[in-house]
Amino acid sequence: MKDLDDLDVLAVDRSGMLGLLLDLPEQLHTGERLGQQADLPSAANIRAIVVTGLGGSSISGDLLRSYLHAACPVPMLVNRHYSLPAFVGSDTLVCAISYSGNTEETLGAFEEARARGAQLLAVTSGGQLAQMAGQAHVPCVQVPGGMPPRATLGYLFTPVLVVLARLGFIPDQKAPLAETVEVLRELGAQFRPGVETFRNLPKALARDLGGRLPVIYGTQDFSDVVAYRWRTQFNENSKVLASHQAFPELNHNEVVGWQGPLADALDVWVVLLRDTQEMGRVARQIEITKAFLRERAAGMTEVWPQGDSRLARLLSLLYTGDFTSYYLALLRGVDPKPVEAIDRLKDQLASA
Ligand code: F6R
């Protein structure tokens, strides 16, 4: 197995994914400014918010939904399809997020929202979505281009968050954003390649996960979205399969699957995403399940958040996963950036 403390392993990161990872706190800053400067859709009579997008763009919608679970007075839904649910109409705010601006499912949903008279906000680096928003006089947040969508979370998530605050759906976000930027800067420094494995959690975890199936467990309406992000970052950066689920739901189905043959055959390593503010009964469930899993998994790592605000806690857990997937790519000797399977599918769709 490669030695992550030998900095020669970085040579495989030919596209500079490390720089993009380290840039997340600064992206939050820029995203906040873009959100402050954005033209606003109308919030009058809005009874639901839908974020529509795919892949690395849609994760911002999931994060908003989880983060605002207890703060947003109207229901939020994340849509990942060409079409929208039947309830979407003039009393719905639809935020269409596509980093490239050319994802056909997102463009389809944008068009449908427009036809149904929904209030719209577009977030993109350009492409057809920027054009369509311009033609329809829809507020459009234009973010810097030229990066892999999954590495632009700060640009895509933060403007929508700030717009929702400016529209009065949620409280002002300056304080949690400021804390989150500080926490992520600190973590970025701790997770740098120059920091040895014995005091660098993502490096140590990547080493444990090498050749194994990562199974990531979060908790409903908080770190469930982060568990999903860990999984998709393992898919796209490290080019491996992974699985995720959330407490308490997993204790009502997935836990039984651990008694079957695949649990042994797949050599599973469990990552538990914990929180300092877990509900007491959920913490109890996690402790009971830990004892059960300890007898069945190859190993288990608990990851705890940093910071006080809900936003800092969520994004610190997410950032730890982003770095872990990066180091797992280096261990496997694969460039974290290219996603050939996705590019091939999009090319084939475009010519079909
Ligand atoms: C690539 C990636 C993908 C894209 C997805 C949608 O880094 O993460 O999941 O995000 O294919 O494309 P966009 O974001 O351009 O709408």
Side-chain angles (χ1 to χ4, degrees):
M1 195 185 278
K2 291 196 170 59
D3 176 6
L4 286 173
D5 292 337
D6 173 357
L7 296 185
D8 285 350
V9 290
L10 291 168
V12 77
D13 179 12
R14 285 181 284 275
S15 324
M17 188 59 115
L18 177 64
L20 295 174
L21 272 184
L22 290 168
D23 199 38
L24 179 61
E26 315 321 313
Q27 285 190 13
L28 289 177
H29 250 322
T30 308
E32 184 176 12
R33 181 173 48 76
L34 292 174
Q36 289 295 354
Q37 293 167 348
D39 291 336
L40 294 179
S42 167
N45 305 319
I46 292 298
R47 286 148 55 102
I49 299 169
V50 172
V51 179
T52 193
L54 273 294
S57 291
S58 63
I59 191 78
S60 291
D62 290 319
L63 261 181
L64 286 162
R65 188 189 48 73
S66 280
Y67 172 50
L68 300 176
H69 177 70
C72 187
V74 297
M76 283 190 80
L77 184 133
V78 182
N79 186 69
R80 292 183 160 89
H81 200 11
Y82 293 86
S83 60
L84 292 162
F87 72 80
V88 172
S90 58
D91 57 359
T92 315
L93 171 62
V94 176
C95 305
I97 308 181
S98 170
Y99 182 68
S100 64
N102 293 322
T103 299
E104 62 177 45
E105 295 93 325
T106 314
L107 297 177
F110 177 91
E111 224 8 78
E112 197 170 297
R114 214 181 54 80
R116 292 201 212 160
Q119 284 298 315
L120 270 155
L121 173 74
V123 183
T124 181
S125 69
Q128 292 178 61
L129 183 58
Q131 280 175 20
M132 286 161 69
Q135 280 157 10
H137 305 292
V138 161
C140 179
V141 178
Q142 188 131 4
V143 303
M147 290 159 256
R150 62 189 183 281
T152 62
L153 186 92
Y155 290 139
L156 302 179
F157 163 81
T158 324
V160 184
L161 180 70
V162 172
V163 164
L164 293 182
R166 287 177 62 206
L167 290 174
F169 287 111
I170 53 167
D172 183 80
Q173 295 297 307
K174 274 192 202 73
L177 275 168
E179 191 208 8
T180 305
V181 167
E182 278 318 303
V183 164
L184 296 189
R185 278 189 185 141
E186 179 65 30
L187 279 183
Q190 288 172 25
F191 296 163
R192 276 178 183 275
V195 180
E196 304 95 315
T197 302
F198 75 92
R199 38 192 196 106
N200 191 328
L201 172 63
K203 275 191 183 180
L205 186 48
R207 199 190 46 199
D208 289 334
L209 289 171
R212 299 197 161 109
L213 178 71
V215 169
I216 308 107
Y217 288 157
T219 52
Q220 171 83 35
D221 298 323
F222 181 65
S223 54
D224 47 355
V225 50
V226 182
Y228 176 60
R229 167 78 172 191
W230 277 60
R231 173 182 176 174
T232 58
Q233 293 288 72
F234 283 133
N235 297 153
E236 293 185 66
N237 289 342
S238 330
K239 282 86 175 157
V240 297
L241 286 174
S243 161
H244 83 289
Q245 247 295 9
F247 289 99
E249 175 70 9
L250 73 90
N251 272 339
H252 298 268
N253 35 58
E254 176 148 328
V255 76
V256 188
W258 277 94
Q259 295 173 324
L262 280 183
D264 289 333
L266 289 178
D267 199 11
V268 183
W269 192 280
V270 178
V271 179
L272 294 178
L273 301 178
R274 303 297 306 264
D275 186 28
T276 44
Q277 295 189 26
E278 269 155 11
M279 184 187 176
R281 293 300 291 170
V282 171
R284 186 82 199 106
Q285 284 211 25
I286 296 175
E287 291 307 320
I288 293 168
T289 312
K290 254 167 66 180
F292 171 86
L293 292 175
R294 211 170 269 126
E295 290 167 16
R296 290 164 176 85
M300 190 167 9
T301 303
E302 288 184 87
V303 180
W304 291 88
Q306 303 288 317
D308 295 323
S309 65
R310 186 171 168 90
L311 189 60
R313 295 186 343 261
L314 256 184
L315 287 185
S316 61
L317 284 175
L318 180 144
Y319 211 30
T320 309
D322 281 7
F323 273 92
T324 306
S325 69
Y326 175 77
Y327 285 122
L328 185 56
L330 301 191
L331 263 187
R332 300 193 58 247
V334 295
D335 186 345
K337 185 178 167 201
V339 283
E340 280 151 26
I342 299 176
D343 296 341
R344 199 175 326 117
L345 171 89
K346 287 187 176 181
D347 286 348
Q348 286 170 350
L349 275 178
S351 57

